[in-house]
Amino acid sequence: MLRVSEIRLPIDHRPEALPAAVAARLGIPVQDIGEVKVFRRSCDARKARALVFSYSVDLTLPDEAQLLARFADDRQVQAAPDMRYHFVGRAPEGLASRPLIVGFGPAGIFAALILAQSGFRPIVLERGKAVRERTQDTWGLWRKKVLDPESNVQFGEGGAGTFSDGKLYSQIKDPRQHGRKVLEEFVKAGAPEEILYVNKPHIGTFRLVGMVEQMRREIERLGGEVRFQQRVTGVRIEAGRVRGVTLAAGEELACEQLILALGHSARDTFEMLEQAGVCMEAKAFSIGFRIEHPQALIDKARFGAHAGNPALGAADYKLVHHCRNGRSVYSFCMCPGGTVVAATSEEKRVVTNGMSQYSRNERNANAGIVVGITPLDYPGGPLGGIALQRELESRAFELGGGSYEAPAQLVGDFLAGRPSSHLGSVMPSYQPGVRLTDLSTALPDYAIAAIREALPAFERQIRGFAMADALLTGVETRTSSPLRITRGADYQSLNVRGLYPAGEGAGYAGGILSAGVDGIRVAEALTRDLLQAEHA
């Protein structure tokens, strides 16, 4: 099979134009080409007047060796790599030990799926509820200002990514094509097949709910077990090896292999692990606000006259600015045609995040505008970042009036240093509502100064970005885990054998795709360890 890259066509091209362009690129008659399978499609929007789709395609030809020899110096015509997933081993018959997995977000789901497909019958312990019950509890905060600390945007089946844009792209190195395995399993579970080839695939919240349920059923069909409302309160460690866990209800479960796929908001669990002596370290993360614009403004800035073309969908953006004070400000988790959502998991704290449905057809675009910070900004050991997050989230709760409404300010007022008293043309999407105020005390002074410098810089890249009526909503604090549960090359904890930190909460991923990939890698490492122990 051949892979041919950089086939460029107008965005409104007819279907038959693609095989014709491939044939022209290879210098062969179009009738010699059978099925052309799109591997990747991206939109080149650098010139808004002349948007094009750029394709990479796979095809099979009878004379592939001869063609490859003819294009030996052309990196855009290559043999297609093997994209199939290869399991590292299978569980021996009668294996008594069952690995435990704590957490059922993307890392936990894919760790459990790989282990189940390999015959290891994993047991998953999820502190939250099944995804549909969890959805009802989440709406309870959004619609009624009632928070369930164990069932919300952060905790429950599917993890934090369930209430997001469902983005499925990452910049991680992935030489073994684990990302392809993640996408293929999502398609099997009901995702649209286009996620296999579009450059920035996404699913959206409503589709993710059904997919997560389907993947759970598959894990259970293969002998795995998923237990909800099972919060782990203790880890038993003996002679430097994990031996079991204790649950909130008092039950103890023995285990020799434990995957920690906690998610970035399992603060009480991080505290328990530090008390147990598990190696952890503080790591960098980011803090900031959510910004909202009319989606039509972003579409026009990115696509020009092509704005609104259904082939393009809603436009996104990715921005970064390096400030005079040494800080970097960047856009985070941009949600085209989406909403700003309440994402707290602790009482009397306010946290924002962004969410979109698959259609991305809401009125506003939103994104985090966040400032990078390091452990030098929050001394206090591995848990120092959590302390800072809590301080900022409590302050946001106060600024919002103490009722889970979020503090908000118009961009024009924020840049001028004055409180906002009335909304402009951009209506806030955050539920359960916003309270207009002055956000200058919501973040440390260095972060406020950096964002005030960055917004006019972003205006030079996207006209209208610093419009006076654009809305800032605070605060965005859970961009990534503020700590790392350190592990070695074998994916096990540095000081506890059999303990496998995984995913975003452990500090080794940043989003659905990378967390799923990390879950696969950890499951493979656990499999190797189990098989070696079995044959020792």
Side-chain angles (χ1 to χ4, degrees), residues 1 93 107 139 158 183 185 207 226 242 248 256 281 297 309 324 360 381 390 398 486 497 524 526 528:
M1 181 175 287
E93 291 291 333
W139 287 347
L183 296 178
E185 292 294 345
R207 291 197 177 205
V226 181
V242 66
E256 300 290 328
E281 62 185 13
L297 180 148
N309 189 313
R324 291 187 296 271
R360 290 177 165 176
R390 282 175 164 160
E398 294 171 2
T486 47
R497 301 298 298 170
E524 291 178 341
L526 187 152
R528 294 188 188 97

Side-chain angles (χ1 to χ4, degrees), residues 80 212 411 536:
V212 166
V411 164

Side-chain angles (χ1 to χ4, degrees), residues 359-380:
S359 61
R360 290 177 165 176
N361 62 359
E362 298 293 335
R363 178 183 302 175
N364 291 352
N366 77 80
I369 299 298
V370 296
V371 182
I373 59 175
T374 75
L376 294 176
D377 296 307
Y378 43 91

Side-chain angles (χ1 to χ4, degrees), residues 313-326:
D316 64 3
Y317 56 79
K318 185 175 182 180
L319 303 169
V320 64
H321 176 69
H322 303 289
C323 301
R324 291 187 296 271
N325 67 1

Side-chain angles (χ1 to χ4, degrees), residues 428-492:
S429 61
Y430 178 93
Q431 294 296 331
V434 302
R435 178 171 179 164
L436 292 176
T437 185
D438 181 354
L439 289 175
S440 64
T441 63
L443 298 176
D445 290 344
Y446 60 78
I448 295 296
I451 295 173
R452 280 180 172 153
E453 179 182 326
L455 290 174
F458 293 158
E459 170 77 23
R460 293 191 287 272
Q461 299 179 61
I462 297 179
R463 187 174 181 180
F465 198 87
M467 63 182 286
D469 283 0
L471 192 69
L472 294 169
T473 306
V475 289
E476 176 100 23
T477 52
R478 306 203 191 175
T479 52
S480 67
S481 181
L483 58 81
R484 178 173 289 113
I485 307 174
T486 47
R487 68 189 187 193
D490 60 359
Y491 292 87
Q492 296 185 60

